[in-house]
Amino acid sequence: ERERERERERDSRTDAQCDPFEHLSQNSKQTKKKLAVEDGITEWQSPELVGGENPYKPPSLIDLLENFPEINPKWEPMCRPEPFETEEEMCTRAARVARILADSCFPSDVLIVSHAPCNIAIGLGLEGLDLKEARGRTKIEPWPLGGLTRFTRDSVGESSRWELAESCATGHLSAHWREGKQRWTLPALR
């Protein structure tokens, strides 16, 4: 009985967090992990990136579940950003949500799949930098399509320090994508 209970707990656990845009769910699916759709790490809600006056809305959870049964339907997103937000608001949101996700999983790993703006914001947050002080100080490079960045730490709490282990790696990609196509960075870092 106890073994079945542990198995149920393990099956309900979420190993990867992705934003609600369908292509990110597809990318996360490749990891063979249980997915949670976390709106708090969704695309930067700026007119340029989500469709101007008529912003694109990602699919609903119920629509995503039809195509991605590995999504955890019990996950409750921490926040739901609305169009439109400033670059600084997006950075604060994404970094805050990522820190909460990482702390809630420690000492296990967490995979966070999002778009370049949020990935960069998450990296800045883990480096302990806010957007105003990041230019010239961050180790985060312009983000290529499919790039992976990995941070590590050995404790949780105020005194824990994140270490950048790998930045914008593309070695897992095939053929010409390995060279890091379409690198992008935040306007404040240009």
Side-chain angles (χ1 to χ4, degrees):
E1 180 65 32
R2 184 172 275 171
E3 184 60 35
R4 267 190 260 154
E5 187 175 314
R6 270 185 260 179
E7 194 172 308
R8 273 195 305 269
E9 183 179 314
R10 187 172 54 246
D11 288 346
S12 68
R13 192 180 75 229
T14 298
D15 299 306
Q17 303 284 333
C18 66
D19 84 14
F21 286 82
E22 191 168 342
H23 68 276
L24 290 163
S25 299
Q26 289 170 339
N27 292 344
S28 299
K29 186 177 184 175
Q30 303 306 310
T31 67
K32 307 287 190 245
K33 294 181 177 279
K34 188 87 169 159
L35 300 177
V37 174
E38 175 52 63
D39 294 352
I41 56 172
T42 195
E43 177 67 281
W44 178 15
Q45 300 296 298
S46 73
E48 297 81 22
L49 295 176
V50 293
E53 293 301 312
N54 299 308
Y56 169 76
K57 296 283 187 191
S60 68
L61 179 58
I62 198 152
D63 290 337
L64 285 171
L65 281 167
E66 288 178 5
N67 295 314
F68 305 99
E70 60 280 348
I71 290 176
N72 180 350
K74 295 178 183 174
W75 180 263
E76 285 290 326
M78 287 182 232
C79 66
R80 288 189 169 89
E82 294 289 326
F84 294 105
E85 63 186 349
T86 67
E87 182 178 13
E88 190 169 0
E89 289 168 338
M90 179 277 299
C91 285
T92 300
R93 166 182 53 87
R96 184 173 177 217
V97 169
R99 281 192 303 272
I100 292 168
L101 292 172
D103 287 348
S104 71
C105 294
F106 190 81
S108 297
D109 297 335
V110 61
L111 172 65
I112 300 174
V113 181
S114 189
H115 292 82
C118 290
N119 290 335
I120 293 168
I122 290 165
L124 295 177
L126 296 179
E127 284 183 311
L129 299 172
D130 68 22
L131 189 60
K132 292 175 185 162
E133 65 185 0
R135 189 173 186 178
R137 292 185 59 201
T138 182
K139 294 177 185 172
I140 301 294
E141 302 168 18
W143 209 275
L145 287 175
L148 299 175
T149 294
R150 186 169 54 94
F151 282 86
T152 61
R153 67 177 170 172
D154 57 12
S155 65
V156 69
E158 291 296 318
S159 63
S160 72
R161 291 249 194 246
W162 289 96
E163 296 295 325
L164 179 64
E166 192 170 26
S167 182
C168 301
T170 56
H172 63 288
L173 299 174
S174 61
H176 67 281
W177 293 103
R178 254 193 205 128
E179 62 193 55
K181 299 274 186 198
Q182 298 179 356
R183 291 184 175 266
W184 190 93
T185 195
L186 294 169
L189 300 180
R190 290 183 190 143

